[in-house]
Every structure is written in C-alpha cells, then in structure tokens.
Amino acid sequence: MDKLPDKYNPADFESDIYNSWLEKGYFHSEVSAKKKPYSIVIPPPNVTGYLHVGHALNNSLQDILIRYARMKGFAACWFPGTDHAGIATQNVVEKELNKNGITRFTLGREKFIEKVWEWRSRYGSGIISQLKALGCSCDWERLRFTFDDDYVKSVNHEFVTLYNDGLIYRGNYMVNWCPRCLTAVSDIEVEHKEKKGNLWDIKYPLIVEETGLPSKTEFITVSTTRPETMLGDTAVAVNPSDKRYKKYLGRKVFLPLVDRLIPIIEDDYVDKDFGTGAVKVTPAHDPNDFEMGQRHNLNKINVMTDDAVMNENAGRYKGLERYEARKKVLEDLESLGYLGSKKDHISSVGMCSRCDTVIEPRISLQWFVSMKALAEPAIKAVQEGRVKFVPKKWEKLYYNWMENIRDWCISRQLWWGHRIPVWYCTKCSEMIVTESLPKVCKCGSTGFRQDEDVLDTWFSSNLWPFAVMRWPQKTAELDYFFPTSVLITGHDIIFFWVARMIMMSLYFMKEVPFKEVFISPLVTDIHGRKMSKSKGNVIDPMSIIDKNGADVLRFTLASLTSPGKNMLLGEDKIEGSRNFANKLWNASKFVTANIQGVNVIETDPKTLTLNPWDKWILSKFAKTVKSLEKYLEKYSISFACKCLTDFFWNDYCDWYIESAKSRIYEKKYNDDKDGGSAATEFGNTDKAKDRQAAQFVLWYVLERYLKILHPFMPFITEKIWQSIPHEGESIIIAKFPEIKSRILDKTDNVVENELLKIFNLISEIRKIRSELKINPAVRVKVYLNPADILFEKNVKDNAGYIKDLAKLQEIVIGRPADNKGFIKSIKDENEIFVYILDAIDIELELNRINNEIRKIIQEKDKSSAKLENPQFLDKAPKDIINKEKSKLSQALKIIESLQEQLSLLQSIK
C-alpha cells in the first residue's frame, strides 16, 4: 500500500496513474461471449480542436458511464477518434501559409494536401493529449481518424450505394456560399449575427400598357436590405391578401439600371407588413426567392462571381465587389429619381463561422442527397422508442427538423476532404460513379479525371457509429458492439449529426445506431451568458486541470449537469469541488492512520459486534448505492453527485467518523447517571472489540465508497484506494458494490429512524452554540425533557456520543428547577434546555451583537440609497445592479438573524 502524502496535490499523481492504466491495458475491451457489451462512440472532435468546456463536459459524462459499465461487469468499449474537419482544417493551414505570402492556389492541390498532412501530424494529436489529461478511459487501441484508409472506403461505399439507389443526384440549387473560402457551407457553419444596416425603398416604374414604356408617375415601391442584388431581379411579389396591390396584378414593371421588364406576382410568402409590402424577387441570390422562383417558373439570373464580384450579368457594374456595387447602385438610383426613403434596420446576417465573411446565398452546381425517404424510418424509430432522447423535450426539435427536411447539399469546393468518388472520362466525358478509380471507360479510354469537389464533413461523420468498427467489412466488433448503448452530445447538432446518423444507420445497418441520446447542457458563465472570447468569460478547462486537477473539473461539471438546464459555471463551483476532494483526502488519511495493525480484509464480519451507529452508516451507504445507480440509469448526473457528496460529507464524515473517534480513542466522560463513554454503549463492555468494529466499518465503507465515486473522480479514488487495504490490481477494474441482504449490505430503516432523532438533538444544540458563538472548547450543561420513553432510552444509550458531538459537560433527563440562565428549544417534540451563563458573558455578547447590527444597517442603507437612485439604475450595468440587490437582501437577512439573537439573550438576562 502507498502512503498518502499530507496534502492533496493532484499534479503529483494524476499523469502517473493514467500512464499506469494505459500500460496495463485497462481501457481495452475485447469481444467476449461471457460479457454483455456496452459501447459508446465519442463525438469526434475536430483535428484542429483544443479542449474547451463543452468537450470537457461531454467527455467527462461519457467517461463516467463507461467506467461505471466496466465496473458493473460489461465489456465496456469507448471508441475514440477525430474528425478531419474539412473547412476548419483547410482554413487553419491556409492562414499559416498566408503568413508567408503563399496561397493554396500557389502550391496546387497535391502540394497543399501534403501541407495539411504535415500540419495534422504536428498538431493533430493535441486534443487527444488533453482528453487523456481529463482522464478519458477510451479504448485508444481503436483510435480512428475520418481519413484512415478503412474509413475512406466506408465513405466511398456510402456515396456509391446511395447514388446507385437513386438517392444522390447533381443539380443547380441554392446554397450558403462563402466568397472567401470559395465553397458551399452547411447551415451549422453559418453563424447568424444581429447587425445594424439599412432598409432602402426603391421605386420600380410600372409599364404603361398602351406604350410599353415605363410610367413617369406610377410606381411600385419595394423594400430591400441588399440593393445590389436588384440587378438579378426577375419579379416583384406581393401578398395575395394585400388589397393595395390588386390593381397592379397582371402588369409588368421596369427594372431600373438594367432595363429589364419583370412581372408582378402574388405569393403567400410575402409579409405585407414588412416595408412597403412589395418585395423584389431575386431567385439566384436568396433562398426564399429561389423557392418563389420555382413556384412561378421565374428566370434565375446570377450577377456575382464565386468571390462576390459582380459578373457580366451585372452590366455596367461588372468587376465591382458586392459592397462597392451596392454603393454605386444607390448613387445611380438616386440620380435617376428611383431611390426612396432609407431606414435604420437590424437584420440577422449569416456569417461563415470559419472566416467571419458574410455568406452569399447563390445557385451552384452541387451534389445532393434526397432526404425524404431516409427521414421517414428515422422519425418512426424515435416514435416507437427504439431511440430515446433524454430529456424527452428534444424529440420535438428532432421531429420538427425531420418532418420539414430538405435535400442535403453534400459537396464542398475544398481540397481537404473526402474526394467525391465520381470520375469523368477524358475522351468521351462519360461520368462513372464507383468506389475506386475505373480501369477503362466503355469507349475504351483509360484516362479519367476525378470530380474536383469533396464531401461535406457531416457526410462522413454520419457513418461514425459503425464505420469506426470498419463497416462495410463484417467485423466481430461490429457484430458485438453495434448498436451502441448511448450517445452524448449537444442539442445544436441533433439535426446535423444525430438525425443523420440515425438515418444512415437504418439505411445501411437496418438498425438504430444507439439506443439513447443524452443531450448534455450548454455551459454558460455564472450569469447565464454564453461563453465567448469577446465577452472575456471563457473558462479554459486545461487551466482548471493544471490548478485543481482533472477530478475537480470533472466533478464540478458533472454536479452541474441537470437534464434540460443550462450549466452555470463559476469559480465558486470549482472551489466547492476542490473542497470536497480535500475532505475526501483528509478523511481517508484519518481512516488509514486509525486502521494500522488491523487486518480488515481477513476480518470475518460475523465475529464483529456492530452497534447501531455501524448499522446506520452501512444502511445509509446501501441506500446511497441504490440511489446512485437509479440516477445514472436516468442520466440525472447532478443528483448522482449530490447523492455522493451528501453521504460522504454529512453521513460518513460529520456523523460516523466523529462518533467513531470516541471508540477508537477510548474517550472518557464524567461519570454521570445518564451514561458513560461511547465505548461502553449498548452493553458492549469489551473496548477492544468495539474499537475493532469501528475500525472495520470505517475501512469497509470507505473502500466501497471509493468504488462508487471512481467513475466521477478516477484519479483521487485510485490513489486513495491504493493506500488502504484492498484486493485487486486497480480500482478501475474493481467490481462495483452490490447491495445484498446480509448485515453489511442492507438497509435498516429502524436503526436510521432511531438515530435520526439523536442527530436532530445534537444539531439543535450545535445550532444554539453557533448562534451564541459559544467557544467550541467550552462544554455546556443540557437538560432534556423527552417526549416519550423510547427516546429517553435512546438518549441514555447514546449519551456518550451526544456529549462528545455536542460538546456537553453533562446531559440530564428532565426539566431544570429554575429556567434562569437556560435557553429553551423544542425539536421532535422534545424540550431542550441549554445552560449558557457559564459559557458566555451575556453583557459582552449583547454589546457585540448591537455593534454588528449597527454595522450591517450602514451597509444596508448604502445599498438602499443606490437602488433608490434613478441615475444608478439607468447607467449601471445589469450585473452590478443585481449584485447590489443581492447585498441588500443579504443584509436584511443578517439583521433579522442578529435581532433574534438579541431578543433571546435579553430574555435570559
């Protein structure tokens, strides 16, 4: 056994313990006919990534479940891996090249890909190292990367199969386009930001039917935030219910600047309360306009190049960047008399999440997956309960997305990614869709060029639950570990990843990919604000690990994980977990120091005489194990943590250890009629046997408690477990405690109820001592008038414990002859009289309390004055105002408490 150092310093042992686990292969799990499988696939972090708080939370929760399953006897396998993260990784490498004045186009595709691989080999393992520092017990022998050869084969097989089955097609459709990255991007890669801008009114002259010329007096005015796109207008739309424009139906308008005649159409999409109620329709540059264009068979005129520069369709504005064109268009409209009013307008603008460039919706030739047929069985799987969402409320979001699903654009104009497995014959241009390079075209040519596009990263990651097991190969691990047990992820990717995994798994595997989806909460700062670098409220999990250890970070995050609620993370929460770790360390040192020389492992419990305090703590532990398992099954992680801390801090440390001290140290008490030392309680006069029972139970409960805490705090539990008597190599592979019917592992409500009133009695006396600030070293005299004979006997039997834990000189059964000098309290219908005249100087205490009240009143008045000041309320930040309100509320509570003490002392005086 290793001796515990005096102080808890996780930096001294966490990495050594993790390396020992790795060396001994404890994380690896093989296919076993003797065990049931339990598997989790890690949401693969980007290869460009670093550990942020969301990662730390998500992976801590996964590790809790996988360690728990391992200890419960399952073949527990946590499949790890990283995602190639197409656009993110390409951007990172491009930025590095740009520092030296190099672009990817300068290098060419092949050389650029080499540079990306170089970057990946140098930096791509950073997130893995950080996950290990967190304590993640992934099966690292099964580490996968979405660019592994086997994985590439899986992705190619997926594409070709879907194409041959008629579910993949190519066409010109509206996409989110990044003019800087020069690629289509997915919805999740578009961040919508509220931006101040303008709403311009532009007058479109109606065409005079008799002359076919633009009217000089009759106009229809449209409202737009992007006047430069009017160059691609092919209609003006109004709402069918808008009576203002009924007279214009069937007529055409003159499109200024490009001299085009366009129709006025009716469409329900138009909001008649927005602007003028008439909108310009630009099908090639707006997704909603595109849909209207489809419905009304409108032309689609693209007026911009890939990099958002006006093209030949923009006429005289060709060559102008989009915002330069906007400025010029407005100037020309004004000079021609077509520009109306301009209003301030706040709109949601889509930005590329990778480069912060404003997204330009545009029509582009892309590859798409037809989603309707794939979505139907995936909806049914959740409806039938084959996949369960926790919390259940997220099912509504899932159904909403799935029932309104659109076809998925899966092609990206990047160089880093899975190349689309489509080839074109260089001789006859025949398109061939196949998993690998064709050998010969039907025309006899052997020359081919591959499609330039790559696949959306989500297209490859939606195979993750089975591709990590080398599908489409028929592997033993795929047959054994699939479907996986649970997926833990955030709500923001329910559609982009979770739903698509369900769809593809049902299509290719004819089975759901996981049985449950636990949606972890969003981590916010202590004020409920989303963490961001600009707000300066980002918490770096690695800095927490460096300062406090991985266990403290893990337990903090786990204790704040309530299903369906955002997590408020602040320094006070971290400090609370650090205090708990210190408490565990110090209590364990007490136990190890006091079981020296006792062979607890070979002790036969049947030979021990357990007193009610022993039976009580064993019963409380049994209930803790049962509750913990119930909470873990329901993913009520915060309740599981509270269950663990309440038992150890309150039951084990505050009550049982304190009571055991009197038995171990053979404490002496005054020889009162109401009882002797705790060592002679319950008729047990053999002090040696009583001490042995206390020592055994102290060890027995601690050793088993370390096991149930291990999934949450793996390092400290391993370190302590190795320092106390134990059986086995490591706590990580130890058996999770089972609750049976024998005396050590069963609940005992009778004993618990007996001692509960004793605890209430002690707590009430402690409360009085605390309120009156009686010196802990001063023992007081107490009279007790019990409500019934049973409690009286219980008190007499436990008199030694009561005197020790409540710091009493003596406890007398009955009422005092004279109440002078006594403070009276009632608990559980039992009258308690505490004599305090010998314990405190009442006059001195009265002066102290009065001075304290005056001091707090001054603080209260300051806060009240601020909160009554209109200038303070108008100008001060909201968090400062809330802080002042909190100070006022706290001051009022303190004053009320002090006044109660004052009244109490005055009544005695």
Side-chain angles (χ1 to χ4, degrees), residues 875-888:
K875 295 180 179 180
K878 189 175 180 180
D879 56 334
I880 298 296
I881 295 172
N882 289 337
K883 186 177 180 181
E884 210 59 49
K885 288 179 178 178
S886 178
K887 282 171 64 178
L888 176 61

Side-chain angles (χ1 to χ4, degrees), residues 667-678 680-681 779 796 799-800 803 808-812:
K667 289 193 174 182
K668 303 294 183 181
Y669 297 87
N670 294 333
D671 187 16
D672 300 317
K673 297 178 182 179
D674 49 40
S677 71
T680 60
E681 301 292 333
R779 291 184 174 271
K796 287 180 178 179
K803 288 193 292 184
L808 304 185
Q809 177 187 354
E810 63 176 320
I811 182 167
V812 181

Side-chain angles (χ1 to χ4, degrees), residues 50-61:
Y50 62 92
L51 193 72
H52 56 63
V53 175
H55 285 139
L57 166 64
N58 188 277
N59 288 285
S60 294
L61 297 178

Side-chain angles (χ1 to χ4, degrees), residues 198-310:
N198 298 110
L199 185 67
W200 288 275
D201 286 348
I202 304 173
K203 296 187 287 186
Y204 288 9
L206 274 86
I207 298 297
V208 179
E209 294 179 345
E210 292 78 10
T211 64
L213 297 175
S215 172
K216 294 181 180 181
T217 59
E218 199 174 18
F219 304 92
I220 188 166
T221 302
V222 302
S223 299
T224 181
T225 58
R226 298 198 302 157
E228 69 279 7
T229 61
M230 68 174 290
L231 305 173
D233 284 1
T234 55
V236 169
V238 297
N239 191 287
S241 65
D242 196 334
K243 297 178 180 178
R244 293 173 295 174
Y245 299 110
K246 287 293 183 183
K247 59 185 176 181
Y248 296 140
L249 295 182
R251 296 183 62 180
K252 292 185 178 181
V253 297
F254 174 75
L255 181 63
L257 307 182
V258 291
D259 302 342
R260 184 185 305 135
L261 301 189
I262 57 177
I264 297 173
I265 63 172
E266 288 184 314
D267 198 283
D268 288 326
Y269 165 75
V270 180
D271 179 1
K272 60 183 180 180
D273 296 322
F274 174 78
T276 64
V279 298
K280 53 192 282 306
V281 184
T282 320
H285 291 277
D286 182 276
N288 296 309
D289 290 4
F290 178 82
E291 296 290 341
M292 276 198 282
Q294 294 285 78
R295 289 193 289 272
H296 298 277
N297 196 28
L298 300 176
N299 289 334
K300 302 173 184 65
I301 303 174
N302 178 19
V303 296
M304 292 186 202
T305 62
D306 291 353
D307 52 357
V309 172
M310 310 311 286

Side-chain angles (χ1 to χ4, degrees), residues 636-687:
S636 298
I637 308 298
S638 63
F639 286 102
C641 291
K642 189 175 187 305
C643 170
L644 287 164
T645 52
D646 283 354
F647 169 79
F648 190 79
W649 203 303
N650 301 333
D651 300 334
Y652 186 71
C653 293
D654 289 355
W655 290 114
Y656 188 73
I657 284 183
E658 291 304 312
S659 70
K661 287 177 180 177
S662 60
R663 300 160 70 188
I664 293 172
Y665 300 153
E666 297 184 34
K667 289 193 174 182
K668 303 294 183 181
Y669 297 87
N670 294 333
D671 187 16
D672 300 317
K673 297 178 182 179
D674 49 40
S677 71
T680 60
E681 301 292 333
F682 315 108
N684 181 3
T685 56
D686 191 331
K687 295 180 182 180

